[in-house]
Amino acid sequence: MAENLVTQVDQNGQTTPIIPVDEDEDSQQSTSCFCGFLFSRCRRKRHNAPEAPRPMVTWQPPVHRDPGHNLLPEPGSPHTNRKCLVLDLDETLVHSSFKPVDNADFVIPIEIDGIQHRVYVLKRPHVDEFLRVVGGLFEVVLFTASLSKYADPVADLLDPGSAIAHRLFREHCVMSHGVFIKDLSRLGRNVDETIIVDNAPASYAYHPNNAVAIQTWIDDPTDTALRDLIPFFEEVAEADDIYSLLRTLTF
Ligand SMILES: [Mg+2]
């Protein structure tokens, strides 16, 4: 069974594993099933489909509290005295699917189980301007619950100006009750000077007061959420107290 490549989590905390299907299944499926952003070549796992046995998931003590295992290296120039801005990828900066779309900004070839697939990536409106501005103000960290084999090439194309200083992937998340959580205390940065922008509240369940709860984006070409946040982050970059500003945000 192919691995879940992209982790799409909506604002209700519902996780949608996105995996390709083989040609036989493709011919049997219609595009009408499930959500609109799923497609003929991909599907959610169906409840009645035979599945491999799932490993038992047992809650583990929070190893993420170990200060000796920071996820990020020491900040280098020019990030030494900057606040840390953590950005989610899917449905925050881009939307990706295996469904061919005419207006894809990128098409990423990815091999899964020995088969070449294509991932079609749409950029959220104003993401270029947003990255350019925040990249000059913060130490920017891309933190995604998706796999690096997908997210790395997307980030390469999304960020040609290297606004993003570090990239973290699924293996850097904490898995708790079936949800990938991005634990800001593991980064090795001052949490009081760290902000996360994510469309899925579950992602920042450990640090809700540090979060900017951006709306989930799929394909709305009129979306202005990233552009609208630029003045806010220009202010946050200079602020003594990020929490007083975060409390002013309304969505
Ligand atoms: Mg997301």
Side-chain angles (χ1 to χ4, degrees):
M1 182 174 292
E3 61 199 316
N4 300 333
L5 187 68
V6 183
T7 297
Q8 296 175 331
V9 184
D10 66 24
Q11 287 174 311
N12 296 318
Q14 298 298 310
T15 301
T16 303
I18 303 299
I19 60 175
V21 296
D22 59 33
E23 297 300 330
D24 290 340
E25 282 184 288
D26 194 22
S27 65
Q28 298 171 16
Q29 290 208 123
S30 75
T31 56
S32 62
C33 63
F34 305 115
C35 299
F37 61 84
L38 296 181
F39 33 83
S40 61
R41 289 192 56 79
C42 294
R43 61 175 171 84
R44 285 179 175 177
K45 288 182 179 177
R46 288 177 294 184
H47 293 301
N48 61 350
E51 295 188 19
R54 294 185 176 183
M56 181 80 71
V57 177
T58 305
W59 187 86
Q60 298 291 326
V63 295
H64 53 281
R65 300 300 176 192
D66 183 348
H69 291 81
N70 294 330
L71 295 176
L72 299 178
E74 288 298 312
S77 178
H79 303 118
T80 308
N81 295 314
R82 293 185 181 183
K83 297 182 180 70
C84 184
L85 178 59
V86 177
L87 302 177
D88 173 46
L89 180 62
D90 296 293
E91 286 68 62
T92 294
L93 301 181
V94 303
H95 173 70
S96 298
S97 74
F98 288 96
K99 179 181 180 180
V101 292
D102 294 334
N103 60 335
D105 292 289
F106 316 128
V107 180
I108 311 286
I110 293 180
E111 182 179 312
I112 302 174
D113 294 345
I115 300 173
Q116 282 288 337
H117 299 274
R118 292 183 170 201
V119 177
Y120 296 81
V121 184
L122 289 172
K123 294 198 297 185
R124 190 170 194 154
H126 312 290
V127 66
D128 294 338
E129 179 186 7
F130 179 78
L131 287 177
R132 179 178 55 78
V133 174
V134 298
L137 297 173
F138 295 87
E139 182 185 30
V140 178
V141 178
L142 184 72
F143 200 165
T144 175
S146 293
L147 297 178
S148 59
K149 66 192 298 184
Y150 150 77
D152 246 341
V154 171
D156 289 342
L157 294 166
L158 182 66
D159 182 35
S162 299
I164 297 168
H166 309 284
R167 301 174 186 177
L168 299 173
F169 307 101
R170 181 176 301 176
E171 63 267 30
H172 302 114
C173 296
V174 175
M175 169 64 90
S176 179
H177 297 86
V179 174
F180 294 112
I181 298 175
K182 301 166 185 176
D183 185 352
L184 304 183
S185 70
R186 295 185 67 200
L187 298 179
R189 299 295 184 267
N190 184 351
V191 172
D192 291 342
E193 296 193 329
T194 300
I195 305 101
I196 181 170
V197 182
D198 202 305
N199 72 300
S203 298
Y204 49 81
Y206 291 168
H207 301 93
N209 294 334
N210 293 70
V212 173
I214 196 168
Q215 289 290 314
T216 294
W217 182 79
I218 303 296
D219 59 4
D220 177 8
T222 68
D223 180 270
T224 61
L226 291 176
R227 188 185 67 189
D228 294 345
L229 282 170
I230 288 175
F232 171 78
F233 280 115
E234 288 175 331
E235 195 171 357
V236 169
E238 302 296 326
D240 293 328
D241 176 15
I242 65 168
Y243 298 111
S244 62
L245 287 174
L246 285 164
R247 281 193 294 270
T248 67
L249 283 178
T250 56
F251 292 93

Tab-separated table of all heavy atoms in Angstrom, residues 90-119:
chain	number	residue	atom	x	y	z
A	90	ASP	N	0.791	22.811	3.514
A	90	ASP	CA	-0.428	22.468	2.784
A	90	ASP	C	-1.656	23.184	3.329
A	90	ASP	O	-1.932	23.177	4.532
A	90	ASP	CB	-0.651	20.949	2.823
A	90	ASP	CG	0.469	20.225	2.103
A	90	ASP	OD1	0.570	20.372	0.884
A	90	ASP	OD2	1.265	19.537	2.786
A	91	GLU	N	-2.360	23.801	2.399
A	91	GLU	CA	-3.569	24.587	2.682
A	91	GLU	C	-3.261	25.858	3.452
A	91	GLU	O	-4.181	26.566	3.872
A	91	GLU	CB	-4.646	23.768	3.418
A	91	GLU	CG	-5.361	22.763	2.542
A	91	GLU	CD	-4.467	21.626	2.088
A	91	GLU	OE1	-3.980	20.886	2.959
A	91	GLU	OE2	-4.222	21.492	0.870
A	92	THR	N	-1.985	26.130	3.695
A	92	THR	CA	-1.572	27.422	4.254
A	92	THR	C	-0.821	28.225	3.197
A	92	THR	O	-1.143	29.388	2.942
A	92	THR	CB	-0.687	27.223	5.501
A	92	THR	OG1	-1.471	26.632	6.542
A	92	THR	CG2	-0.114	28.544	5.990
A	93	LEU	N	0.171	27.590	2.556
A	93	LEU	CA	0.950	28.260	1.499
A	93	LEU	C	0.622	27.726	0.115
A	93	LEU	O	0.763	28.454	-0.878
A	93	LEU	CB	2.452	28.091	1.759
A	93	LEU	CG	2.997	28.630	3.085
A	93	LEU	CD1	4.509	28.390	3.159
A	93	LEU	CD2	2.684	30.108	3.277
A	94	VAL	N	0.248	26.443	0.049
A	94	VAL	CA	-0.063	25.813	-1.240
A	94	VAL	C	-1.214	24.835	-1.045
A	94	VAL	O	-1.581	24.499	0.088
A	94	VAL	CB	1.158	25.031	-1.819
A	94	VAL	CG1	2.372	25.933	-1.972
A	94	VAL	CG2	1.482	23.808	-0.961
A	95	HIS	N	-1.743	24.362	-2.165
A	95	HIS	CA	-2.635	23.203	-2.137
A	95	HIS	C	-2.170	22.236	-3.218
A	95	HIS	O	-1.946	22.638	-4.364
A	95	HIS	CB	-4.081	23.590	-2.397
A	95	HIS	CG	-4.988	22.400	-2.543
A	95	HIS	ND1	-5.308	21.580	-1.483
A	95	HIS	CD2	-5.605	21.866	-3.623
A	95	HIS	CE1	-6.091	20.609	-1.897
A	95	HIS	NE2	-6.279	20.758	-3.200
A	96	SER	N	-2.042	20.980	-2.853
A	96	SER	CA	-1.527	19.974	-3.775
A	96	SER	C	-2.497	18.826	-3.925
A	96	SER	O	-3.230	18.482	-2.994
A	96	SER	CB	-0.184	19.428	-3.268
A	96	SER	OG	0.779	20.448	-3.193
A	97	SER	N	-2.468	18.222	-5.116
A	97	SER	CA	-3.282	17.032	-5.330
A	97	SER	C	-2.674	16.226	-6.471
A	97	SER	O	-1.822	16.713	-7.211
A	97	SER	CB	-4.721	17.412	-5.660
A	97	SER	OG	-4.806	17.909	-6.975
A	98	PHE	N	-3.139	15.003	-6.604
A	98	PHE	CA	-2.726	14.188	-7.742
A	98	PHE	C	-3.629	14.440	-8.951
A	98	PHE	O	-3.366	13.927	-10.022
A	98	PHE	CB	-2.773	12.708	-7.375
A	98	PHE	CG	-1.675	12.284	-6.438
A	98	PHE	CD1	-1.907	12.217	-5.078
A	98	PHE	CD2	-0.419	11.963	-6.904
A	98	PHE	CE1	-0.903	11.830	-4.198
A	98	PHE	CE2	0.587	11.577	-6.040
A	98	PHE	CZ	0.349	11.510	-4.690
A	99	LYS	N	-4.683	15.168	-8.767
A	99	LYS	CA	-5.597	15.463	-9.870
A	99	LYS	C	-4.973	16.499	-10.801
A	99	LYS	O	-4.599	17.593	-10.348
A	99	LYS	CB	-6.905	16.022	-9.317
A	99	LYS	CG	-7.911	16.384	-10.397
A	99	LYS	CD	-9.173	16.966	-9.761
A	99	LYS	CE	-10.191	17.326	-10.818
A	99	LYS	NZ	-11.415	17.900	-10.215
A	100	PRO	N	-4.857	16.184	-12.066
A	100	PRO	CA	-4.290	17.174	-12.997
A	100	PRO	C	-5.133	18.443	-13.036
A	100	PRO	O	-6.360	18.386	-13.119
A	100	PRO	CB	-4.325	16.447	-14.346
A	100	PRO	CG	-4.358	15.001	-13.998
A	100	PRO	CD	-5.148	14.912	-12.721
A	101	VAL	N	-4.476	19.573	-12.930
A	101	VAL	CA	-5.151	20.864	-13.058
A	101	VAL	C	-4.369	21.704	-14.058
A	101	VAL	O	-3.139	21.649	-14.119
A	101	VAL	CB	-5.246	21.602	-11.700
A	101	VAL	CG1	-6.194	20.873	-10.767
A	101	VAL	CG2	-3.879	21.735	-11.053
A	102	ASP	N	-5.107	22.462	-14.860
A	102	ASP	CA	-4.476	23.221	-15.943
A	102	ASP	C	-3.596	24.345	-15.432
A	102	ASP	O	-2.627	24.726	-16.075
A	102	ASP	CB	-5.553	23.805	-16.863
A	102	ASP	CG	-6.312	22.714	-17.600
A	102	ASP	OD1	-5.731	21.624	-17.798
A	102	ASP	OD2	-7.483	22.957	-17.977
A	103	ASN	N	-3.961	24.889	-14.285
A	103	ASN	CA	-3.267	26.083	-13.816
A	103	ASN	C	-2.280	25.802	-12.686
A	103	ASN	O	-1.977	26.691	-11.882
A	103	ASN	CB	-4.285	27.126	-13.353
A	103	ASN	CG	-5.161	26.608	-12.223
A	103	ASN	OD1	-5.348	25.400	-12.078
A	103	ASN	ND2	-5.699	27.517	-11.423
A	104	ALA	N	-1.780	24.590	-12.623
A	104	ALA	CA	-0.815	24.273	-11.559
A	104	ALA	C	0.423	25.154	-11.682
A	104	ALA	O	0.920	25.404	-12.787
A	104	ALA	CB	-0.421	22.808	-11.631
A	105	ASP	N	0.893	25.622	-10.556
A	105	ASP	CA	2.141	26.402	-10.555
A	105	ASP	C	3.350	25.486	-10.680
A	105	ASP	O	4.343	25.856	-11.297
A	105	ASP	CB	2.227	27.230	-9.276
A	105	ASP	CG	1.182	28.330	-9.230
A	105	ASP	OD1	1.327	29.293	-9.995
A	105	ASP	OD2	0.221	28.203	-8.451
A	106	PHE	N	3.265	24.326	-10.060
A	106	PHE	CA	4.345	23.348	-10.155
A	106	PHE	C	3.737	21.963	-10.390
A	106	PHE	O	2.628	21.680	-9.934
A	106	PHE	CB	5.155	23.253	-8.848
A	106	PHE	CG	5.491	24.557	-8.212
A	106	PHE	CD1	5.195	24.779	-6.874
A	106	PHE	CD2	6.117	25.561	-8.932
A	106	PHE	CE1	5.507	25.979	-6.270
A	106	PHE	CE2	6.432	26.772	-8.336
A	106	PHE	CZ	6.131	26.980	-7.004
A	107	VAL	N	4.494	21.144	-11.069
A	107	VAL	CA	4.149	19.723	-11.165
A	107	VAL	C	5.371	18.947	-10.679
A	107	VAL	O	6.455	19.057	-11.247
A	107	VAL	CB	3.787	19.317	-12.601
A	107	VAL	CG1	3.429	17.829	-12.645
A	107	VAL	CG2	2.633	20.149	-13.121
A	108	ILE	N	5.175	18.209	-9.597
A	108	ILE	CA	6.285	17.518	-8.947
A	108	ILE	C	6.214	16.028	-9.281
A	108	ILE	O	5.229	15.368	-8.933
A	108	ILE	CB	6.221	17.685	-7.408
A	108	ILE	CG1	6.015	19.147	-7.034
A	108	ILE	CG2	7.454	17.084	-6.755
A	108	ILE	CD1	7.200	20.014	-7.210
A	109	PRO	N	7.209	15.482	-9.960
A	109	PRO	CA	7.227	14.030	-10.168
A	109	PRO	C	7.724	13.328	-8.907
A	109	PRO	O	8.755	13.701	-8.342
A	109	PRO	CB	8.220	13.860	-11.322
A	109	PRO	CG	9.135	15.029	-11.203
A	109	PRO	CD	8.349	16.158	-10.593
A	110	ILE	N	6.976	12.351	-8.477
A	110	ILE	CA	7.337	11.626	-7.254
A	110	ILE	C	7.133	10.132	-7.472
A	110	ILE	O	6.102	9.710	-7.999
A	110	ILE	CB	6.487	12.111	-6.063
A	110	ILE	CG1	6.853	13.558	-5.726
A	110	ILE	CG2	6.706	11.222	-4.840
A	110	ILE	CD1	6.079	14.124	-4.576
A	111	GLU	N	8.107	9.361	-7.061
A	111	GLU	CA	8.006	7.909	-7.172
A	111	GLU	C	7.477	7.333	-5.867
A	111	GLU	O	8.008	7.611	-4.787
A	111	GLU	CB	9.371	7.310	-7.493
A	111	GLU	CG	9.326	5.806	-7.672
A	111	GLU	CD	10.690	5.235	-8.013
A	111	GLU	OE1	11.370	5.776	-8.903
A	111	GLU	OE2	11.070	4.238	-7.361
A	112	ILE	N	6.421	6.556	-5.982
A	112	ILE	CA	5.851	5.881	-4.822
A	112	ILE	C	5.694	4.416	-5.156
A	112	ILE	O	5.044	4.061	-6.146
A	112	ILE	CB	4.481	6.478	-4.436
A	112	ILE	CG1	4.615	7.973	-4.142
A	112	ILE	CG2	3.890	5.748	-3.230
A	112	ILE	CD1	3.297	8.662	-3.888
A	113	ASP	N	6.287	3.577	-4.365
A	113	ASP	CA	6.235	2.129	-4.583
A	113	ASP	C	6.659	1.767	-6.005
A	113	ASP	O	6.048	0.914	-6.662
A	113	ASP	CB	4.820	1.598	-4.308
A	113	ASP	CG	4.438	1.736	-2.845
A	113	ASP	OD1	5.339	1.962	-2.008
A	113	ASP	OD2	3.238	1.630	-2.536
A	114	GLY	N	7.684	2.451	-6.510
A	114	GLY	CA	8.224	2.136	-7.821
A	114	GLY	C	7.437	2.705	-8.980
A	114	GLY	O	7.771	2.454	-10.143
A	115	ILE	N	6.388	3.477	-8.694
A	115	ILE	CA	5.558	4.061	-9.756
A	115	ILE	C	5.693	5.574	-9.726
A	115	ILE	O	5.641	6.194	-8.662
A	115	ILE	CB	4.076	3.673	-9.571
A	115	ILE	CG1	3.924	2.149	-9.626
A	115	ILE	CG2	3.202	4.345	-10.627
A	115	ILE	CD1	2.522	1.667	-9.295
A	116	GLN	N	5.894	6.157	-10.911
A	116	GLN	CA	6.004	7.599	-10.988
A	116	GLN	C	4.618	8.245	-10.947
A	116	GLN	O	3.714	7.850	-11.694
A	116	GLN	CB	6.713	8.006	-12.288
A	116	GLN	CG	8.219	7.835	-12.240
A	116	GLN	CD	8.908	8.882	-11.358
A	116	GLN	OE1	8.376	9.952	-11.119
A	116	GLN	NE2	10.100	8.542	-10.886
A	117	HIS	N	4.455	9.213	-10.082
A	117	HIS	CA	3.223	9.990	-9.992
A	117	HIS	C	3.564	11.460	-10.169
A	117	HIS	O	4.716	11.863	-10.041
A	117	HIS	CB	2.540	9.797	-8.634
A	117	HIS	CG	2.153	8.387	-8.355
A	117	HIS	ND1	0.962	7.847	-8.778
A	117	HIS	CD2	2.808	7.395	-7.696
A	117	HIS	CE1	0.892	6.584	-8.390
A	117	HIS	NE2	1.998	6.291	-7.730
A	118	ARG	N	2.537	12.235	-10.436
A	118	ARG	CA	2.708	13.679	-10.518
A	118	ARG	C	1.832	14.352	-9.474
A	118	ARG	O	0.655	14.008	-9.340
A	118	ARG	CB	2.319	14.200	-11.915
A	118	ARG	CG	3.261	13.752	-13.005
A	118	ARG	CD	2.860	14.358	-14.311
A	118	ARG	NE	3.858	14.142	-15.347
A	118	ARG	CZ	3.971	14.865	-16.448
A	118	ARG	NH1	3.113	15.849	-16.667
A	118	ARG	NH2	4.902	14.611	-17.332
A	119	VAL	N	2.416	15.290	-8.772
A	119	VAL	CA	1.663	16.083	-7.808
A	119	VAL	C	1.520	17.504	-8.375
A	119	VAL	O	2.515	18.116	-8.762
A	119	VAL	CB	2.368	16.136	-6.439
A	119	VAL	CG1	1.598	17.026	-5.472
A	119	VAL	CG2	2.506	14.734	-5.867
